[in-house]
Amino acid sequence: MLPETRYAKAGDVYIAYQMSGKGGLDLVFVPGFVSHVEHAWEEPGLARFFERLGAFSRLIRFDKRGTGLSDPISEIPTLEQRTDDLRAVMDSAGSARAALLGIAEGGPVAMLFAATYPERTRALVLYDSYARYAWAPDYPFGHTEADFKTLQATIEAEWGGPAGSAAWAPSARGDERFQQWWAKSLRLAASPGAALVVLRMTWDTDVRHVLPAIRVPTLVVHRTGDQIIRVDHGRYLAQHIPDARLVELPGTDHLVWVGDAGAVLAEVEEFLTGVRPLPEPDRVLATILFTDIAGSTEQVATLGDQRWREVLDTYYRLAREECTRYRGREIDTAGDGFFAAFDGPARAIHCALAIVAGARTLSLAVRAGVHTGECEVIGAKLGGIAVHLGARIAALAGAGEVLVSQTVKDLVAGSGLRLEDRGLRVLKGIPGEWRLFAAVPAS
């Protein structure tokens, strides 16, 4: 269940915001360049990042005026107006006092708020942020006028596609799903004109004079390889905010949830709660579901590439809806394959049967394989022998069939699911013989 989008009124402008999490402190996430509070949940890595923050806080997120679901604007907003937006969101959310997490361009807003309203600011965390974006003789690591013109040209030429993703998220360069999400996120968050307005405000921002007036506990976190906001900016903040603590982390990604997000989260949680979270487990028990479309090559030849892509997109929407319905987590797609993980084998089987049945309405014959085992956690992905087993089981299924392993059968005993023995099978590349069962839909 995604959080409800609400609206706070700041003057004549309505600011969209959401609340999630059940932790004991209020944490306001002040976004960077542009954002969309609802579309953010469609990126698995970002959704997990918010869930981790929500594990120890009541997380309050909003779209800055002129971006996302907040009111559009026709002129460049002042920093004071954006600070008022933050205050209006806190008031509407019933938050008398909160910690602030300022991300990049959101940092100056958070800094001005913390200096102006120390009684409402529990603590301040700044991630890959800055006091001034542009170069100056006494600020030599800022961006030059040539950089600004390049950014303008990139927005004008590339907005609508994954503009700037190679610099913002280098480690996601080969992730096609991320690139598609990023492009859509930019389109939903702002038009090219609105993005240029935000860029101009970013360029004009200078809060260096505010830094000595910040008297709340402050943590500055910066990745040393960030090329969007160089680490010198973070060092400057830590040097000029009284008693600020600086943590430099390895990494080249500017987007906070890409790369080693766990390291950032650990620093933030320890700073705000006094307790460092336990390391993320590197192995987890999960039920793996693989599906693919039988006879897809013949279908492509019959329908043609464009029509096949339309059919495949419709199928993926169906698969994702069923995955969400049965509390699964999409891991990956490749070709016409769909890979998801579940915390319970019965739900995985029900999901597989629903996908197979739904695919028939699209004139598609889908086969599926389900296996439960210990998986390696590799960032947002899962790997290991259990994953290979699930894929091999799916490959042996007939068109419209859901095959499951003996392990799954044993775990769903008493669930009412009908499973028919399909005998011992050899799984390609995996030693021994494996007894498989077919899940039979309820009549």
Side-chain angles (χ1 to χ4, degrees):
M1 184 71 71
L2 295 180
E4 175 188 1
T5 299
R6 305 180 183 187
Y7 285 89
K9 192 172 184 181
D12 296 327
V13 176
Y14 288 92
I15 306 298
Y17 72 96
Q18 289 187 347
M19 296 181 291
S20 60
K22 299 179 181 178
L25 63 93
D26 284 354
L27 174 61
V28 181
F29 183 93
V30 187
F33 186 40
V34 294
S35 64
H36 191 288
V37 290
E38 292 184 355
H39 183 62
W41 293 102
E42 296 184 21
E43 209 295 295
L46 184 51
R48 283 194 301 278
F49 188 85
F50 291 150
E51 288 166 357
R52 282 281 306 277
L53 291 176
F56 64 85
S57 74
R58 181 175 72 130
L59 180 64
I60 304 169
R61 301 166 37 249
F62 67 98
D63 289 333
K64 295 178 291 188
R65 61 171 62 199
T67 68
L69 293 173
S70 292
D71 276 352
I73 53 175
S74 57
E75 56 187 24
I76 298 172
T78 66
L79 197 60
E80 181 181 0
Q81 286 174 317
R82 290 207 156 167
T83 304
D84 284 343
D85 295 345
L86 196 165
R87 182 176 52 81
V89 167
M90 286 180 60
D91 289 345
S92 181
S95 177
R97 191 164 180 255
L100 308 180
L101 173 53
I103 304 295
E105 290 83 356
V109 176
M111 286 181 250
L112 182 58
F113 186 95
T116 307
Y117 304 105
E119 74 283 0
R120 300 198 64 177
T121 308
R122 176 171 179 160
L124 175 64
V125 180
L126 302 169
Y127 167 79
D128 281 21
S129 191
Y130 55 83
R132 176 188 173 97
Y133 191 79
W135 180 91
D138 57 348
Y139 202 76
F141 38 82
H143 287 269
T144 64
E145 188 70 29
D147 294 333
F148 180 71
K149 291 179 178 178
T150 298
L151 287 169
Q152 281 185 310
T154 298
I155 290 173
E156 291 171 345
E158 299 181 17
W159 205 262
S165 64
W168 286 62
S171 66
R173 187 177 286 112
D175 187 337
E176 182 59 30
R177 175 176 168 79
F178 174 84
Q179 300 300 322
Q180 292 176 4
W181 175 87
W182 177 248
K184 185 176 180 181
S185 180
L186 296 181
R187 294 194 300 271
L188 292 174
S191 67
L196 289 171
V197 168
V198 175
L199 178 62
R200 170 49 67 182
M201 185 208 164
T202 299
W203 189 259
D204 293 340
T205 296
D206 188 342
V207 295
R208 287 180 292 174
H209 60 287
V210 171
L211 305 186
I214 297 174
R215 300 292 177 174
V216 301
T218 302
L219 171 68
V220 179
V221 180
H222 217 105
R223 285 175 172 156
T224 55
D226 187 341
Q227 296 304 304
I228 302 296
I229 307 295
R230 288 167 47 189
V231 70
D232 305 83
H233 291 272
R235 292 168 182 165
Y236 184 94
L237 291 173
Q239 289 167 2
H240 291 82
I241 296 174
D243 301 319
R245 176 187 170 203
L246 173 65
V247 174
E248 296 184 16
L249 297 174
T252 58
D253 294 295
H254 179 64
L255 298 182
V256 64
W257 74 92
V258 180
D260 189 3
V264 178
L265 286 161
E267 296 294 342
V268 173
E269 182 172 354
E270 182 178 24
F271 180 72
L272 294 180
T273 69
V275 178
R276 193 170 187 86
L278 294 173
E280 286 281 305
D282 58 4
R283 300 187 70 81
V284 63
L285 184 72
T287 298
I288 300 303
L289 165 63
F290 276 95
T291 72
D292 67 10
I293 300 172
S296 57
T297 303
E298 293 79 2
Q299 293 243 34
V300 175
T302 301
L303 298 175
D305 290 339
Q306 182 175 346
R307 175 57 183 150
W308 174 247
R309 171 48 59 186
E310 293 171 356
V311 171
L312 194 58
D313 286 345
T314 302
Y315 165 67
Y316 277 141
R317 282 197 296 272
L318 179 152
R320 287 170 180 138
E321 287 172 1
E322 296 298 346
C323 184
T324 300
R325 178 185 173 194
Y326 289 103
R327 288 171 38 190
R329 177 167 69 94
E330 179 182 348
I331 305 296
D332 206 356
T333 57
D336 56 31
F338 182 77
F339 170 25
F342 296 77
D343 58 7
R347 283 190 292 277
I349 295 174
H350 284 300
C351 181
L353 290 170
I355 291 174
V356 168
R360 289 197 192 98
T361 67
L362 304 175
S363 300
L364 298 176
V366 168
R367 55 192 172 198
V370 181
H371 176 65
T372 300
E374 193 177 35
C375 302
E376 296 178 48
V377 178
I378 310 167
K381 308 291 186 181
L382 293 177
I385 189 65
V387 173
H388 291 289
L389 276 163
R392 296 294 184 268
I393 292 169
L396 289 178
E401 186 176 44
V402 177
L403 285 184
V404 309
S405 65
Q406 176 79 55
T407 305
V408 170
K409 176 183 180 298
D410 293 343
L411 289 173
V412 300
S415 66
L417 285 163
R418 289 179 55 202
L419 300 174
E420 297 180 352
D421 194 344
R422 290 292 188 264
L424 294 172
R425 303 286 188 90
V426 175
L427 305 181
K428 184 179 179 181
I430 298 174
E433 292 182 313
W434 298 78
R435 185 170 296 278
L436 303 182
F437 300 80
V440 179
S443 55

